[in-house]
Amino acid sequence: QVQVVESGGGSVQPGGSLRLSCAPSGTIFAIYVMGWYRQAPGQQRELVAAISSDGSTNYADSVKGRFTISRDHAKNLVYLQMTSLKPEDTAVYSCGVGSPVNYWGQGTQVTVSS
């Protein structure tokens, strides 16, 4: 069973930055697409950013130019660097392994508020 653990969420003022980390267990990490998703209250979960095993990335239009997804194969970690945060970025952010997602993390809250 693969376990996925996220960290790095928190509260920040508009314009601030946060970096989320995702640590999936097991050796399958290198072959899977890794994605960050978010779900705001009353809304459907949406894909924020994804990165494939070869490093190619894609982003939701709403975060392009502000968020950067990256992966460290040596450390089995995936990061989501979030800058210029806006109140509408407030959500629970979850890391997903695979496309479609086979394994989910528990999620980490990101709150952007003044």
Side-chain angles (χ1 to χ4, degrees):
Q1 182 69 18
V2 174
Q3 293 186 335
V4 184
V5 179
E6 302 104 334
S7 60
S11 295
V12 66
Q13 292 186 340
S17 300
L18 284 173
R19 188 177 78 161
L20 307 182
S21 299
C22 171
S25 64
T27 58
I28 61 159
F29 167 80
I31 65 173
Y32 272 90
V33 171
M34 301 293 299
W36 282 101
Y37 299 76
R38 68 185 181 188
Q39 186 169 21
Q43 297 187 19
Q44 290 187 334
R45 182 159 52 194
E46 62 173 347
L47 174 67
V48 176
I51 185 167
S52 66
S53 58
D54 66 1
S56 59
T57 58
N58 67 282
Y59 296 91
D61 288 343
S62 58
V63 307
K64 283 181 180 177
R66 299 189 298 122
F67 292 10
T68 302
I69 189 170
S70 61
R71 65 195 299 169
D72 185 328
H73 286 272
K75 297 181 179 179
N76 263 23
L77 290 172
V78 177
Y79 302 104
L80 184 68
Q81 179 68 50
M82 304 184 294
T83 63
S84 301
L85 282 160
K86 304 175 181 180
E88 52 263 43
D89 294 318
T90 295
V92 175
Y93 286 69
S94 300
C95 179
V97 179
S99 181
V101 176
N102 301 107
Y103 307 101
W104 289 101
Q106 81 286 355
T108 184
Q109 177 70 44
V110 171
T111 302
V112 185
S113 174
S114 55

XYZ file of all heavy atoms in Angstrom:
847
model
N 0.842 -1.190 0.000
C 0.000 0.000 0.000
C 0.878 1.241 0.000
O 1.800 1.355 0.800
C -0.914 0.006 1.231
C -1.870 1.182 1.299
C -2.959 1.130 0.245
O -3.210 0.056 -0.333
N -3.582 2.237 -0.047
N 0.576 2.147 -0.899
C 1.343 3.383 -0.980
C 0.748 4.397 -0.019
O -0.471 4.589 0.034
C 1.309 3.951 -2.416
C 1.978 5.301 -2.474
C 1.980 2.966 -3.365
N 1.603 5.040 0.727
C 1.166 6.127 1.600
C 1.681 7.437 1.047
O 2.813 7.523 0.565
C 1.665 5.903 3.024
C 1.021 4.704 3.711
C 1.431 4.603 5.163
O 2.477 5.080 5.567
N 0.590 3.960 5.953
N 0.845 8.447 1.126
C 1.194 9.764 0.589
C 0.996 10.784 1.705
O -0.102 10.882 2.264
C 0.305 10.127 -0.617
C 0.739 11.455 -1.215
C 0.356 9.013 -1.655
N 2.033 11.529 2.002
C 1.980 12.490 3.107
C 2.319 13.874 2.584
O 3.371 14.070 1.969
C 2.959 12.100 4.234
C 2.892 13.130 5.362
C 2.635 10.701 4.760
N 1.410 14.812 2.828
C 1.657 16.197 2.439
C 2.050 17.016 3.659
O 1.671 16.697 4.780
C 0.416 16.843 1.811
C -0.127 16.152 0.597
C -1.371 15.366 0.910
O -1.519 14.968 2.087
O -2.199 15.143 0.016
N 2.751 18.104 3.404
C 3.091 19.041 4.468
C 3.305 20.413 3.856
O 3.447 20.538 2.632
C 4.352 18.590 5.210
O 5.453 18.513 4.334
N 3.322 21.428 4.703
C 3.648 22.766 4.254
C 2.488 23.730 4.154
O 2.684 24.891 3.809
N 1.284 23.281 4.440
C 0.160 24.194 4.385
C 0.191 25.190 5.531
O 1.036 25.104 6.421
N -0.738 26.124 5.502
C -0.808 27.106 6.566
C -1.590 28.323 6.145
O -2.314 28.283 5.137
N -1.452 29.378 6.921
C -2.151 30.627 6.641
C -1.153 31.679 6.196
O -0.054 31.785 6.756
C -2.882 31.108 7.902
O -3.896 30.204 8.270
N -1.542 32.448 5.207
C -0.662 33.469 4.657
C -1.505 34.632 4.163
O -2.687 34.453 3.819
C 0.207 32.869 3.532
C -0.655 32.456 2.355
C 1.305 33.815 3.099
N -0.914 35.803 4.134
C -1.613 36.966 3.617
C -1.573 36.986 2.095
O -0.675 36.383 1.485
C -0.973 38.239 4.172
C -1.163 38.426 5.663
C -0.644 39.771 6.151
O 0.162 40.418 5.490
N -1.115 40.184 7.315
N -2.507 37.655 1.473
C -2.469 37.785 0.013
C -1.125 38.334 -0.447
O -0.567 39.250 0.171
C -3.605 38.767 -0.277
C -4.565 38.568 0.853
C -3.710 38.297 2.051
N -0.624 37.736 -1.527
C 0.692 38.107 -2.028
C 1.813 37.284 -1.452
O 2.950 37.358 -1.944
N 1.511 36.482 -0.443
C 2.533 35.674 0.196
C 2.836 34.395 -0.557
O 2.277 34.137 -1.643
N 3.713 33.608 0.029
C 4.163 32.370 -0.607
C 4.123 31.209 0.387
O 4.261 31.401 1.598
C 5.605 32.522 -1.116
O 5.714 33.556 -2.060
N 3.945 30.031 -0.154
C 4.030 28.789 0.609
C 4.614 27.722 -0.285
O 4.462 27.770 -1.510
C 2.652 28.330 1.082
C 1.990 29.035 2.259
C 0.560 28.511 2.427
C 2.779 28.839 3.537
N 5.270 26.734 0.333
C 5.727 25.594 -0.420
C 5.159 24.325 0.209
O 5.349 24.069 1.400
C 7.256 25.494 -0.460
C 7.722 24.401 -1.424
C 9.234 24.323 -1.531
N 9.833 23.637 -0.401
C 11.058 23.121 -0.400
N 11.816 23.224 -1.503
N 11.556 22.544 0.671
N 4.453 23.567 -0.602
C 3.903 22.287 -0.166
C 4.840 21.163 -0.589
O 5.463 21.231 -1.644
C 2.524 22.060 -0.769
C 1.481 23.157 -0.565
C 0.156 22.734 -1.200
C 1.311 23.472 0.901
N 4.899 20.140 0.250
C 5.705 18.957 -0.063
C 4.825 17.724 -0.036
O 3.897 17.623 0.772
C 6.838 18.793 0.947
O 7.716 19.892 0.928
N 5.149 16.793 -0.888
C 4.426 15.522 -0.961
C 5.438 14.391 -0.947
O 6.378 14.391 -1.748
C 3.602 15.462 -2.236
S 2.849 13.852 -2.573
N 5.239 13.459 -0.035
C 6.172 12.349 0.109
C 5.423 11.033 -0.051
O 4.836 10.524 0.902
C 6.857 12.406 1.475
N 5.430 10.483 -1.272
C 4.827 9.172 -1.448
C 5.818 8.065 -1.110
O 7.012 8.187 -1.398
C 4.482 9.151 -2.943
C 5.496 10.048 -3.573
C 5.876 11.066 -2.536
N 5.351 7.011 -0.486
C 6.239 5.927 -0.122
C 6.420 4.977 -1.287
O 5.653 4.996 -2.252
C 5.666 5.161 1.072
O 4.444 4.539 0.710
N 7.430 4.166 -1.238
C 7.610 3.119 -2.219
C 8.447 3.540 -3.418
O 8.684 4.713 -3.656
N 8.840 2.562 -4.177
C 9.733 2.805 -5.307
C 8.975 3.158 -6.581
O 9.577 3.380 -7.615
C 10.594 1.571 -5.566
O 9.730 0.448 -5.815
C 11.465 1.266 -4.369
N 7.645 3.194 -6.537
C 6.875 3.506 -7.731
C 6.895 4.975 -8.062
O 6.464 5.373 -9.130
C 5.407 3.085 -7.555
C 4.795 3.871 -6.378
C 5.299 1.597 -7.352
C 3.319 3.939 -6.407
N 7.394 5.781 -7.159
C 7.341 7.225 -7.316
C 7.837 7.663 -8.684
O 7.221 8.493 -9.340
C 8.175 7.857 -6.206
C 8.476 9.317 -6.394
C 7.526 10.261 -6.089
C 9.697 9.727 -6.884
C 7.785 11.615 -6.252
C 9.964 11.074 -7.060
C 9.020 12.013 -6.739
N 8.947 7.090 -9.133
C 9.616 7.586 -10.331
C 8.813 7.384 -11.601
O 9.001 8.107 -12.570
C 10.979 6.918 -10.471
N 7.898 6.416 -11.618
C 7.213 6.104 -12.860
C 5.835 6.730 -12.950
O 5.165 6.613 -13.964
C 7.080 4.582 -13.064
C 6.179 3.967 -11.980
C 8.464 3.926 -13.074
C 5.868 2.506 -12.232
N 5.402 7.386 -11.898
C 4.047 7.907 -11.881
C 3.989 9.407 -12.142
O 4.874 10.153 -11.758
C 3.398 7.660 -10.513
C 2.712 6.315 -10.410
C 3.402 5.199 -9.961
C 1.365 6.167 -10.725
C 2.770 3.968 -9.851
C 0.725 4.951 -10.607
C 1.438 3.857 -10.176
O 0.823 2.649 -10.065
N 2.889 9.803 -12.758
C 2.545 11.219 -12.783
C 2.152 11.622 -11.368
O 1.438 10.894 -10.670
C 1.366 11.488 -13.735
C 0.876 12.925 -13.597
C 1.758 11.186 -15.164
N 2.652 12.768 -10.937
C 2.310 13.289 -9.619
C 1.546 14.592 -9.798
O 1.932 15.422 -10.626
C 3.581 13.545 -8.803
C 4.443 12.319 -8.583
S 3.645 11.095 -7.544
C 3.435 12.019 -6.026
N 0.500 14.754 -9.025
C -0.297 15.955 -9.186
C -0.690 16.574 -7.859
O -0.799 15.888 -6.837
N -0.882 17.877 -7.888
C -1.465 18.607 -6.760
C -2.871 19.025 -7.148
O -3.089 19.570 -8.245
C -0.627 19.837 -6.420
C 0.607 19.529 -5.649
C 1.886 19.435 -6.127
C 0.687 19.270 -4.238
N 2.752 19.135 -5.097
C 2.034 19.028 -3.933
C -0.250 19.224 -3.204
C 2.466 18.737 -2.641
C 0.186 18.931 -1.929
C 1.531 18.697 -1.651
N -3.794 18.765 -6.260
C -5.189 19.092 -6.464
C -5.651 19.957 -5.303
O -5.026 19.962 -4.230
C -6.040 17.812 -6.504
C -5.672 16.867 -7.615
C -4.524 16.069 -7.534
C -6.460 16.766 -8.753
C -4.180 15.205 -8.562
C -6.125 15.900 -9.785
C -4.980 15.125 -9.674
O -4.640 14.271 -10.699
N -6.742 20.653 -5.501
C -7.297 21.446 -4.400
C -8.816 21.414 -4.448
O -9.415 21.243 -5.514
C -6.790 22.884 -4.431
C -7.291 23.722 -5.593
C -6.621 25.094 -5.578
N -7.091 25.941 -6.667
C -6.563 27.123 -6.965
N -5.541 27.612 -6.246
N -7.049 27.836 -7.970
N -9.379 21.560 -3.262
C -10.832 21.605 -3.142
C -11.201 22.678 -2.138
O -10.827 22.599 -0.957
C -11.402 20.251 -2.713
C -12.913 20.209 -2.719
C -13.453 18.808 -2.548
O -12.774 17.903 -2.056
N -14.686 18.586 -2.993
N -11.929 23.659 -2.623
C -12.432 24.725 -1.759
C -13.825 24.338 -1.276
O -14.507 23.526 -1.913
C -12.470 26.038 -2.527
N -14.271 24.906 -0.160
C -15.598 24.564 0.365
C -16.687 24.785 -0.676
O -16.732 25.833 -1.333
C -15.757 25.526 1.543
C -14.371 25.822 1.978
C -13.552 25.838 0.716
N -17.522 23.774 -0.861
C -18.628 23.876 -1.788
C -18.257 23.738 -3.252
O -19.115 23.898 -4.124
N -16.998 23.430 -3.517
C -16.551 23.312 -4.901
C -15.972 21.919 -5.158
O -15.608 21.197 -4.239
C -15.503 24.375 -5.214
C -16.020 25.798 -5.117
C -15.007 26.816 -5.587
O -14.057 26.495 -6.305
N -15.204 28.056 -5.200
N -15.913 21.573 -6.432
C -15.324 20.297 -6.808
C -13.795 20.376 -6.736
O -13.201 21.450 -6.887
C -15.753 19.912 -8.228
C -17.212 19.545 -8.347
C -17.558 19.000 -9.727
O -16.892 19.312 -10.709
N -18.589 18.174 -9.791
N -13.189 19.224 -6.513
C -11.739 19.166 -6.527
C -11.233 19.431 -7.937
O -11.813 18.933 -8.912
C -11.257 17.814 -6.018
C -9.750 17.675 -5.951
C -9.328 16.570 -5.000
N -9.970 15.316 -5.260
C -9.967 14.285 -4.413
N -9.342 14.399 -3.254
N -10.576 13.157 -4.724
N -10.160 20.190 -8.032
C -9.604 20.518 -9.329
C -8.103 20.256 -9.339
O -7.425 20.353 -8.319
C -9.855 21.991 -9.678
C -9.206 22.988 -8.734
C -9.331 24.423 -9.214
O -9.698 24.667 -10.367
O -9.032 25.321 -8.407
N -7.602 19.945 -10.530
C -6.175 19.779 -10.701
C -5.510 21.153 -10.719
O -5.912 22.029 -11.472
C -5.877 19.036 -12.003
C -4.397 18.907 -12.383
C -3.663 18.022 -11.393
C -4.259 18.365 -13.797
N -4.492 21.302 -9.901
C -3.733 22.543 -9.853
C -2.496 22.441 -10.742
O -2.219 23.317 -11.554
C -3.300 22.863 -8.412
C -2.418 24.106 -8.380
C -4.523 23.042 -7.526
N -1.743 21.365 -10.584
C -0.509 21.186 -11.348
C -0.145 19.714 -11.344
O -0.453 18.990 -10.393
C 0.629 22.009 -10.745
N 0.513 19.283 -12.410
C 0.953 17.894 -12.502
C 2.328 17.846 -13.142
O 2.689 18.716 -13.933
C -0.039 17.057 -13.295
N 3.068 16.794 -12.782
C 4.394 16.609 -13.346
C 4.582 15.133 -13.661
O 4.262 14.266 -12.849
C 5.481 17.136 -12.376
C 6.857 17.062 -13.019
C 5.445 16.414 -11.037
C 7.928 17.857 -12.258
N 5.083 14.862 -14.849
C 5.280 13.478 -15.260
C 6.670 12.998 -14.851
O 7.483 13.771 -14.329
C 5.096 13.353 -16.769
O 6.124 14.074 -17.426
N 6.944 11.745 -15.121
C 8.229 11.181 -14.733
C 9.391 11.819 -15.494
O 10.520 11.854 -14.989
C 8.231 9.670 -14.956
O 7.948 9.376 -16.314
N 9.117 12.364 -16.687
C 10.195 13.010 -17.458
C 10.308 14.495 -17.175
O 11.098 15.189 -17.808
C 10.001 12.780 -18.956
C 8.751 13.453 -19.510
O 8.044 14.125 -18.736
O 8.488 13.302 -20.714
N 9.492 14.970 -16.231
C 9.595 16.357 -15.828
C 8.671 17.328 -16.532
O 8.654 18.517 -16.194
N 7.903 16.854 -17.495
C 6.970 17.756 -18.159
C 5.843 18.122 -17.197
O 5.434 17.299 -16.362
C 6.415 17.125 -19.424
O 5.757 15.915 -19.137
N 5.373 19.347 -17.312
C 4.398 19.863 -16.350
C 3.185 20.460 -17.058
O 3.240 20.816 -18.239
C 5.036 20.967 -15.487
O 5.506 22.021 -16.334
C 6.190 20.426 -14.667
N 2.099 20.540 -16.313
C 0.948 21.305 -16.768
C 0.267 21.933 -15.559
O 0.348 21.396 -14.445
C -0.020 20.467 -17.597
C -0.712 19.399 -16.798
O -0.144 18.371 -16.507
N -1.963 19.642 -16.432
N -0.359 23.068 -15.810
C -0.943 23.867 -14.744
C -2.360 24.302 -15.096
O -2.700 24.499 -16.265
C -0.107 25.130 -14.514
C 1.297 24.875 -14.040
C 2.344 24.736 -14.949
C 1.577 24.773 -12.682
C 3.637 24.488 -14.516
C 2.870 24.536 -12.243
C 3.886 24.392 -13.164
O 5.168 24.156 -12.724
N -3.148 24.489 -14.063
C -4.441 25.131 -14.246
C -4.188 26.576 -14.656
O -3.227 27.212 -14.204
C -5.236 25.081 -12.949
N -5.056 27.102 -15.502
C -4.879 28.480 -15.976
C -4.821 29.467 -14.810
O -4.096 30.462 -14.876
C -6.016 28.857 -16.925
C -5.906 28.168 -18.269
O -4.821 27.652 -18.601
O -6.923 28.136 -18.996
N -5.557 29.182 -13.759
C -5.658 30.117 -12.643
C -4.360 30.253 -11.853
O -4.214 31.201 -11.075
C -6.781 29.684 -11.695
O -6.549 28.376 -11.205
N -3.429 29.317 -12.032
C -2.188 29.374 -11.248
C -0.945 29.535 -12.109
O 0.156 29.649 -11.573
C -2.040 28.127 -10.351
C -3.284 27.917 -9.496
C -1.733 26.876 -11.171
N -1.125 29.545 -13.409
C 0.042 29.689 -14.290
C 0.799 30.976 -13.988
O 0.197 32.032 -13.834
C -0.405 29.670 -15.755
C -0.739 28.298 -16.281
C -1.161 28.358 -17.750
C -1.500 26.958 -18.267
N -1.990 26.996 -19.670
N 2.116 30.842 -13.913
C 2.951 31.997 -13.614
C 3.103 32.270 -12.135
O 3.940 33.103 -11.738
N 2.301 31.605 -11.304
C 2.386 31.829 -9.849
C 2.845 30.573 -9.106
O 3.524 30.665 -8.084
C 1.026 32.261 -9.311
C 0.507 33.552 -9.903
C -0.745 34.033 -9.164
N -1.852 33.101 -9.258
C -2.456 32.546 -8.208
N -2.054 32.834 -6.974
N -3.476 31.725 -8.380
N 2.430 29.411 -9.580
C 2.760 28.143 -8.931
C 3.762 27.379 -9.773
O 3.733 27.433 -11.005
C 1.524 27.283 -8.749
C 0.508 27.793 -7.754
C 0.593 29.055 -7.201
C -0.550 26.970 -7.369
C -0.341 29.517 -6.290
C -1.491 27.416 -6.459
C -1.384 28.696 -5.931
N 4.625 26.630 -9.098
C 5.597 25.786 -9.786
C 5.636 24.416 -9.124
O 5.834 24.319 -7.909
C 7.001 26.401 -9.733
O 6.982 27.699 -10.315
C 7.994 25.530 -10.513
N 5.439 23.378 -9.922
C 5.538 22.022 -9.420
C 6.891 21.450 -9.817
O 7.400 21.715 -10.913
C 4.389 21.136 -9.968
C 4.379 19.769 -9.265
C 4.452 20.982 -11.468
C 3.137 18.936 -9.570
N 7.493 20.705 -8.918
C 8.790 20.095 -9.201
C 8.886 18.784 -8.433
O 8.107 18.529 -7.510
C 9.936 21.032 -8.809
O 9.898 21.318 -7.424
N 9.828 17.958 -8.842
C 10.005 16.688 -8.148
C 11.486 16.413 -7.965
O 12.305 16.759 -8.811
C 9.305 15.542 -8.875
C 9.832 15.195 -10.248
C 8.849 14.312 -11.007
N 8.592 13.037 -10.363
C 7.618 12.197 -10.718
N 6.805 12.512 -11.707
N 7.434 11.055 -10.079
N 11.793 15.791 -6.841
C 13.161 15.412 -6.516
C 13.181 13.890 -6.439
O 12.729 13.307 -5.456
C 13.574 16.044 -5.184
C 15.026 15.801 -4.834
O 15.561 14.739 -5.214
O 15.617 16.651 -4.169
N 13.708 13.276 -7.491
C 13.693 11.813 -7.546
C 14.573 11.205 -6.457
O 14.245 10.155 -5.909
C 14.160 11.337 -8.919
C 13.136 11.539 -9.988
N 12.163 10.606 -10.268
C 12.913 12.575 -10.837
C 11.404 11.040 -11.247
N 11.837 12.247 -11.616
N 15.655 11.859 -6.136
C 16.573 11.308 -5.131
C 15.917 11.253 -3.755
O 16.164 10.342 -2.967
C 17.847 12.128 -5.087
N 15.060 12.241 -3.471
C 14.413 12.320 -2.164
C 12.973 11.803 -2.184
O 12.314 11.777 -1.146
C 14.431 13.758 -1.652
C 15.829 14.318 -1.418
C 15.750 15.743 -0.894
C 17.131 16.309 -0.622
N 17.068 17.712 -0.128
N 12.494 11.388 -3.366
C 11.097 10.947 -3.474
C 10.126 12.018 -2.988
O 9.215 11.738 -2.206
C 10.878 9.662 -2.661
C 10.950 8.423 -3.524
O 11.556 8.427 -4.586
N 10.315 7.363 -3.072
N 10.336 13.227 -3.430
C 9.485 14.324 -3.011
C 8.956 15.090 -4.214
O 9.628 15.201 -5.241
C 10.256 15.294 -2.111
C 10.635 14.801 -0.716
C 11.556 15.797 -0.045
C 9.394 14.567 0.128
N 7.767 15.613 -4.061
C 7.171 16.506 -5.040
C 6.822 17.801 -4.314
O 6.265 17.760 -3.208
C 5.904 15.904 -5.667
C 5.258 16.896 -6.625
C 6.248 14.616 -6.393
N 7.124 18.915 -4.927
C 6.884 20.207 -4.311
C 5.881 21.013 -5.136
O 5.779 20.849 -6.354
C 8.181 21.017 -4.230
C 9.296 20.343 -3.478
C 10.363 19.759 -4.148
C 9.283 20.302 -2.085
C 11.400 19.151 -3.461
C 10.311 19.697 -1.381
C 11.367 19.124 -2.079
O 12.390 18.523 -1.378
N 5.178 21.879 -4.446
C 4.368 22.889 -5.105
C 4.746 24.225 -4.476
O 4.384 24.506 -3.342
C 2.871 22.625 -4.951
C 1.982 23.607 -5.712
C 2.139 23.404 -7.221
C 0.516 23.446 -5.308
N 5.496 25.014 -5.226
C 5.860 26.347 -4.771
C 4.770 27.302 -5.215
O 4.478 27.411 -6.403
C 7.203 26.774 -5.365
C 7.649 28.161 -4.958
C 7.994 28.260 -3.487
O 8.747 27.443 -2.961
N 7.444 29.258 -2.810
N 4.173 27.971 -4.248
C 3.047 28.876 -4.530
C 3.464 30.293 -4.170
O 3.864 30.550 -3.025
C 1.829 28.460 -3.715
C 1.410 27.010 -3.953
S -0.109 26.550 -3.085
C 0.430 26.667 -1.381
N 3.375 31.189 -5.126
C 3.706 32.586 -4.899
C 2.524 33.461 -5.296
O 1.583 32.995 -5.953
C 4.956 32.998 -5.695
O 4.681 32.861 -7.094
C 6.146 32.123 -5.343
N 2.593 34.713 -4.910
C 1.515 35.677 -5.219
C 0.156 35.090 -4.893
O -0.789 35.170 -5.701
C 1.584 36.079 -6.697
O 2.835 36.654 -7.002
N 0.043 34.513 -3.720
C -1.190 33.837 -3.336
C -2.351 34.806 -3.222
O -2.185 35.971 -2.813
C -0.985 33.081 -2.032
C -0.229 31.756 -2.188
C 0.353 31.303 -0.859
C -1.137 30.687 -2.765
N -3.517 34.306 -3.599
C -4.738 35.097 -3.589
C -5.760 34.429 -2.660
O -5.690 33.218 -2.437
C -5.324 35.171 -5.001
C -4.376 35.710 -6.054
C -5.001 35.631 -7.443
C -4.065 36.151 -8.511
N -4.681 36.071 -9.871
N -6.724 35.177 -2.172
C -7.758 34.559 -1.325
C -8.454 33.388 -2.012
O -8.825 32.410 -1.353
C -8.724 35.719 -1.065
C -7.849 36.932 -1.123
C -6.855 36.644 -2.199
N -8.620 33.464 -3.317
C -9.280 32.369 -4.038
C -8.431 31.114 -4.136
O -8.902 30.085 -4.625
C -9.714 32.823 -5.440
C -8.631 33.471 -6.259
C -8.676 34.993 -6.185
O -8.876 35.533 -5.066
O -8.488 35.643 -7.234
N -7.188 31.167 -3.689
C -6.363 29.964 -3.622
C -6.630 29.163 -2.342
O -6.107 28.054 -2.184
C -4.875 30.322 -3.661
C -4.443 30.936 -4.982
O -4.889 30.439 -6.029
O -3.670 31.912 -4.958
N -7.431 29.714 -1.454
C -7.760 29.018 -0.210
C -8.486 27.713 -0.509
O -9.491 27.689 -1.224
C -8.643 29.904 0.675
O -7.885 31.054 1.071
C -9.105 29.146 1.914
N -7.947 26.624 0.015
C -8.508 25.296 -0.249
C -7.705 24.260 0.528
O -6.653 24.570 1.096
C -8.448 24.977 -1.744
N -8.214 23.043 0.505
C -7.423 21.901 0.956
C -6.671 21.369 -0.253
O -7.282 21.040 -1.272
C -8.306 20.800 1.565
C -7.460 19.572 1.901
C -9.016 21.314 2.811
N -5.366 21.304 -0.141
C -4.518 20.837 -1.225
C -4.108 19.394 -0.962
O -3.635 19.066 0.132
C -3.285 21.725 -1.353
C -3.572 23.062 -1.963
C -4.314 24.026 -1.280
C -3.129 23.372 -3.247
C -4.607 25.254 -1.852
C -3.398 24.608 -3.827
C -4.141 25.540 -3.117
O -4.422 26.761 -3.691
N -4.273 18.566 -1.985
C -3.960 17.150 -1.850
C -3.008 16.714 -2.956
O -3.086 17.207 -4.081
C -5.226 16.298 -1.923
O -6.132 16.628 -0.894
N -2.166 15.784 -2.597
C -1.229 15.217 -3.559
C -1.793 13.897 -4.064
O -2.273 13.073 -3.277
C 0.111 14.986 -2.869
S 1.389 14.252 -3.893
N -1.748 13.690 -5.373
C -2.255 12.460 -5.967
C -1.172 11.766 -6.766
O -0.407 12.412 -7.490
N -1.135 10.448 -6.651
C -0.153 9.635 -7.371
C -0.863 8.938 -8.518
O -1.816 8.187 -8.309
C 0.489 8.587 -6.447
C 1.487 7.730 -7.225
C 1.148 9.248 -5.254
N -0.388 9.178 -9.725
C -0.945 8.528 -10.899
C -1.947 9.406 -11.622
O -2.444 10.407 -11.106
N -2.239 9.012 -12.845
C -3.238 9.711 -13.654
C -3.972 8.679 -14.503
O -3.426 8.210 -15.499
C -2.568 10.756 -14.549
O -3.535 11.437 -15.318
N -5.226 8.302 -14.123
C -5.964 8.836 -12.978
C -5.299 8.496 -11.648
O -4.446 7.610 -11.580
C -7.337 8.157 -13.085
C -7.052 6.887 -13.799
C -5.976 7.220 -14.795
N -5.696 9.208 -10.622
C -5.046 9.073 -9.322
C -5.359 7.721 -8.705
O -6.515 7.318 -8.595
C -5.481 10.206 -8.381
C -4.872 9.995 -6.999
C -5.044 11.552 -8.952
N -4.290 7.041 -8.307
C -4.441 5.767 -7.623
C -4.362 5.916 -6.093
O -4.959 5.133 -5.351
C -3.332 4.798 -8.062
C -3.345 4.555 -9.547
O -2.480 5.040 -10.272
N -4.317 3.827 -10.025
N -3.583 6.907 -5.652
C -3.365 7.102 -4.232
C -3.443 8.591 -3.913
O -2.916 9.420 -4.655
C -1.987 6.562 -3.816
C -1.737 5.129 -4.226
C -0.963 4.835 -5.348
C -2.284 4.072 -3.500
C -0.739 3.529 -5.731
C -2.062 2.764 -3.891
C -1.291 2.498 -5.004
O -1.079 1.201 -5.389
N -4.081 8.891 -2.771
C -4.249 10.263 -2.320
C -3.589 10.447 -0.963
O -3.600 9.540 -0.120
C -5.734 10.602 -2.168
C -6.497 10.728 -3.445
C -7.322 9.801 -4.014
C -6.526 11.873 -4.307
N -7.863 10.298 -5.173
C -7.399 11.576 -5.381
C -5.922 13.140 -4.283
C -7.661 12.466 -6.409
C -6.182 14.024 -5.309
C -7.040 13.693 -6.352
N -3.098 11.669 -0.750
C -2.692 12.055 0.579
C -3.893 12.541 1.365
O -5.013 12.629 0.845
N -3.655 12.907 2.608
C -4.754 13.322 3.487
C -5.146 14.767 3.276
O -6.206 15.194 3.712
C -4.352 13.105 4.958
C -3.479 14.189 5.565
C -2.044 14.150 5.089
O -1.629 13.252 4.351
N -1.257 15.138 5.505
N -4.302 15.534 2.596
C -4.595 16.933 2.329
C -4.006 17.863 3.362
O -3.809 17.486 4.520
N -3.735 19.088 2.924
C -3.205 20.111 3.818
C -3.917 21.428 3.507
O -4.124 21.766 2.347
C -1.678 20.241 3.677
O -1.179 21.183 4.638
C -1.255 20.684 2.277
N -4.315 22.125 4.547
C -5.096 23.347 4.386
C -4.189 24.524 4.033
O -3.157 24.737 4.675
C -5.861 23.656 5.669
C -6.665 24.954 5.629
C -7.864 24.873 4.711
O -8.604 23.888 4.712
N -8.069 25.917 3.917
N -4.615 25.266 3.035
C -3.971 26.531 2.678
C -5.030 27.619 2.788
O -6.076 27.530 2.142
C -3.385 26.488 1.256
C -2.917 27.881 0.832
C -2.234 25.497 1.184
N -4.751 28.619 3.597
C -5.675 29.725 3.798
C -4.971 31.031 3.466
O -3.914 31.329 4.021
C -6.191 29.765 5.237
O -6.826 28.525 5.554
C -7.190 30.900 5.427
N -5.562 31.772 2.554
C -5.001 33.063 2.146
C -6.000 34.142 2.563
O -7.095 34.226 2.010
C -4.735 33.116 0.635
C -4.044 34.435 0.277
C -3.906 31.932 0.189
N -5.597 34.927 3.518
C -6.521 35.911 4.076
C -5.748 37.042 4.723
O -4.675 36.829 5.294
C -7.438 35.256 5.110
O -8.246 36.213 5.751
N -6.325 38.240 4.645
C -5.707 39.374 5.310
C -6.294 39.557 6.706
O -5.862 40.437 7.447
C -5.893 40.639 4.475
O -7.270 40.855 4.202
